[in-house]
């Protein structure tokens, strides 16, 4: 549902105070002292900052333990340990994807997120349980956030026969993006894995978003195979590599050619700004013209205990990881968590201009950088002109 709203006395990105009129869910006028049309709800911003809705471009809505009571982490150290641990715990712990995704969506909304790209597990133990649950949330809470679903072979694709067929079914059922995962380290068949997911992407006419944790030379090798296929299949602009730890290598002879290819093929990069792994150099990538987005990744799941779905905090983590100190540097991190995510998710009419969807956030603070550093309570969150959260509380009930 599209709504009308007059937002008085707010400062877009820290600029001078204006009023913002929303009609039919879109920004209709931005100017000082606008006339309030009859019957339109009015909100007083009190001179606070107006920001575009935050973009959570990489998370896992189906697997959060949010609201299920505290569970100490029990996963082993390797990636495969975490994968197997989770798959085995899903049913015994009753990690219901519909319920858990609804809970995380409400948390995201109260933190000012208006768009989410979520990877959702597809495997031979659980079939499309995750996809169906998150699709129900996508529909039920469509007035809260827009959700893009990546059909994600979390347990591997070729090492578990039947998964590719399930991924195909998930795409046919309405997932927006084809996922992939560590073609060397998990599937141990890089050519087979990548050929399969690129073919699926072509079959359904949908983009790709590939988890690539592989470090150093191994990651660079997988990257090379991704470049090769993106070029050969004419898929420039349709591929995202998530994590891409190999871009955090100190070896410039390894990294520089990869960045050249990212630019040439318009391949986007998602980084969480991880504290414990080599991470892609955000400023270098952004300044080179690479689309860069960010996300919380897993939030309080069987993989790890952290996360609160706050993309302002994520912007701070990006800043800490990349040694951003100057305001213009911190603003790069903020841009990654807003316009960067919008570019990667191919959102249209996103922003604070007249004509854009009124997906907005009002917080205290003088500047964008101050908001990133202080992460203030979200005074007002607006989705297509409708107030969805107020003073840090989501106005929509979830299970
Ligand atoms: Zn992930």
């Amino acid at each position: 549902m599209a709504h009308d709203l007059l937002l008085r006395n707010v400062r877009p990105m820290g600029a001078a105070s204006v009023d913002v009129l929303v009609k039919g869910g879109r920004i209709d006028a931005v100017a000082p002292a606008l006339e309030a049309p009859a019957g339109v709800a009015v909100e007083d911003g009190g001179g606070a900052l107006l920001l575009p809705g935050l973009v959570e471009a990489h998370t896992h809505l189906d697997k959060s333990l949010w609201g299920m009571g505290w569970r100490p982490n029990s996963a082993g150290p390797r990636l495969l340990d975490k994968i197997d641990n989770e798959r085995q715990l899903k049913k015994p712990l009753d990690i219901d994807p519909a319920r858990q995704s609804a809970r995380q969506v409400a948390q995201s909304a109260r933190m000012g997120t208006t768009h989410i790209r979520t990877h959702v597990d597809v495997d031979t133990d659980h079939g499309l349980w995750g996809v169906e649950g998150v699709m129900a949330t996508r529909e039920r809470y469509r007035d809260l956030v827009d959700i893009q679903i990546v059909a994600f072979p979390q347990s591997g694709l070729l090492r578990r026969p039947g998964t590719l067929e399930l991924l195909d079914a998930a795409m046919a059922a309405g997932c927006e993006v084809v996922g992939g995962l560590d073609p060397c380290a998990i599937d141990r068949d890089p050519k087979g894995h990548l050929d399969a997911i690129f073919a699926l992407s072509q079959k359904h006419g949908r983009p790709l978003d590939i988890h690539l944790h592989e470090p150093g030379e191994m990651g660079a090798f997988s990257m090379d195979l991704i470049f090769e296929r993106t070029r050969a299949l004419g898929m420039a602009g349709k591929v995202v590599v998530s994590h891409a730890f190999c871009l955090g290598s100190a070896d410039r002879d390894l990294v520089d050619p990869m960045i050249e290819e990212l630019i040439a093929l318009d391949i986007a990069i998602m980084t969480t700004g991880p504290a414990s792994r080599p991470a892609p150099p955000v400023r270098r990538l952004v300044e080179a013209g690479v689309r860069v987005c960010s996300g919380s990744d897993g939030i309080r799941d069987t993989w790890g205990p952290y996360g609160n779905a706050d993309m302002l905090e994520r912007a701070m983590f990006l800043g800490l990881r990349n040694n951003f100190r100057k305001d213009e540097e911190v603003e790069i991190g903020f841009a990654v968590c807003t316009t960067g995510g919008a570019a990667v998710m191919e959102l249209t009419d996103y922003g604070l201009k007249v004509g854009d969807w009124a997906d907005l956030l009002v917080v205290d603070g003088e500047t964008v950088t101050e908001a990133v550093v202080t992460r203030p309570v979200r005074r007002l969150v607006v989705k297509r002109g409708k107030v969805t959260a107020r003073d840090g509380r989501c106005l929509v009930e979830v299970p």
Side-chain angles (χ1 to χ4, degrees):
M1 268 278 285
H3 290 77
D4 298 347
L5 177 73
L6 180 63
L7 202 50
R8 286 217 184 278
N9 190 17
V10 287
R11 293 178 304 109
M13 302 294 280
S17 174
V18 290
D19 294 349
V20 175
L21 179 65
V22 176
K23 277 189 184 168
R26 290 180 186 268
I27 298 175
D28 187 70
V30 180
L34 287 172
E35 197 79 20
V40 169
V42 179
E43 294 282 349
D44 181 11
L49 267 176
L50 177 70
L51 305 173
L54 302 169
V55 180
E56 167 76 84
H58 185 120
T59 188
H60 295 262
L61 289 178
D62 57 318
K63 56 179 65 178
S64 176
L65 302 175
W66 197 276
M68 290 178 63
W70 192 257
R71 186 189 152 80
N73 188 277
S74 59
R78 299 172 310 161
L79 193 62
L80 257 181
D81 297 330
K82 297 180 176 74
I83 289 171
D84 290 340
N85 179 61
E86 176 181 62
R87 202 179 54 255
Q88 285 152 15
L89 285 174
K90 263 185 192 170
K91 282 279 163 76
L93 290 185
D94 185 31
I95 309 174
D96 175 45
R99 183 189 65 225
Q100 292 312 113
S101 59
R103 288 178 180 173
Q104 189 178 320
V105 157
Q107 171 65 14
S108 284
R110 85 176 189 87
M111 288 299 186
T113 287
T114 53
H115 298 83
I116 295 175
R117 174 177 282 189
T118 178
H119 298 250
V120 177
D121 290 6
V122 173
D123 66 56
T124 49
D125 286 4
H126 303 94
L128 302 187
W129 188 41
V131 164
E132 286 160 1
V134 178
M135 280 181 175
T137 290
R138 181 176 67 180
E139 183 58 31
R140 188 165 175 192
Y141 300 100
R142 59 189 308 167
D143 289 347
L144 217 47
V145 289
D146 288 317
I147 297 175
Q148 282 183 1
I149 301 176
V150 185
F152 177 47
Q154 173 74 84
S155 292
L157 187 62
L158 305 179
R159 65 190 283 271
R160 294 175 64 90
T163 307
L164 182 58
E165 290 73 13
L166 286 167
L167 225 52
D168 188 24
M171 294 309 300
C175 290
E176 285 90 352
V177 185
V178 175
L181 170 69
D182 293 341
C184 295
I186 299 296
D187 256 359
R188 299 171 179 241
D189 180 358
K191 188 177 175 305
H193 180 100
L194 291 171
D195 284 346
I197 61 170
F198 272 87
L200 204 55
S201 162
Q202 296 249 297
K203 176 181 173 184
H204 292 277
R206 295 291 193 171
L208 271 169
D209 193 330
I210 306 166
H211 276 67
L212 188 66
H213 308 91
E214 296 164 0
E217 296 278 0
M218 189 199 280
F221 172 70
S222 288
M223 279 286 224
D224 207 38
L225 298 184
I226 291 169
F227 298 150
E228 198 176 82
R229 282 153 184 76
T230 304
R231 178 171 283 117
L233 297 170
M235 283 185 58
K238 295 294 171 192
V239 178
V240 182
V241 179
S242 282
H243 300 302
F245 297 146
C246 57
L247 288 172
S249 165
D251 182 356
R252 291 290 290 252
D253 292 340
L254 191 76
V255 173
D256 290 0
M258 282 195 274
I259 294 181
E260 290 302 315
E261 287 285 63
L262 294 176
I263 299 164
L265 295 165
D266 189 16
I267 292 176
I269 295 297
M270 190 299 299
T271 178
T272 63
S276 58
R277 290 284 185 279
V282 169
R283 182 173 187 166
R284 228 186 122 199
L285 291 172
V286 168
E287 288 180 349
V290 177
R291 288 174 298 142
V292 181
C293 64
S294 189
S296 306
D297 207 4
I299 292 175
R300 299 193 199 175
D301 54 23
T302 65
W303 291 65
Y306 301 108
N308 57 9
D310 182 359
M311 291 303 292
L312 278 183
E313 184 175 88
R314 187 57 49 185
M316 184 181 78
F317 289 154
L318 291 173
L320 290 169
R321 187 66 181 81
N322 289 274
N323 197 22
F324 293 163
R325 292 164 189 267
K326 296 186 167 72
D327 284 32
E328 62 264 29
E329 293 173 326
V330 177
E331 285 169 15
I332 294 172
F334 178 80
V336 164
C337 295
T338 49
T339 50
V344 170
M345 288 174 63
E346 300 185 61
L347 304 181
T348 51
D349 303 332
Y350 171 88
L352 298 178
K353 304 182 307 297
V354 170
D356 289 338
W357 288 109
D359 296 334
L360 311 169
L361 172 60
V362 176
V363 292
D364 288 330
E366 277 184 55
T367 66
V368 168
T369 296
E370 191 184 2
V372 170
V373 170
T374 61
R375 290 156 285 127
V377 169
R378 315 303 129 97
R379 284 175 54 166
L380 217 55
V381 181
V382 174
K383 181 66 182 170
R384 286 190 286 273
K386 184 183 179 188
V387 176
T388 54
R390 189 186 294 279
D391 297 327
R393 292 191 54 173
C394 180
L395 301 179
V396 175
E397 292 287 330
V398 294

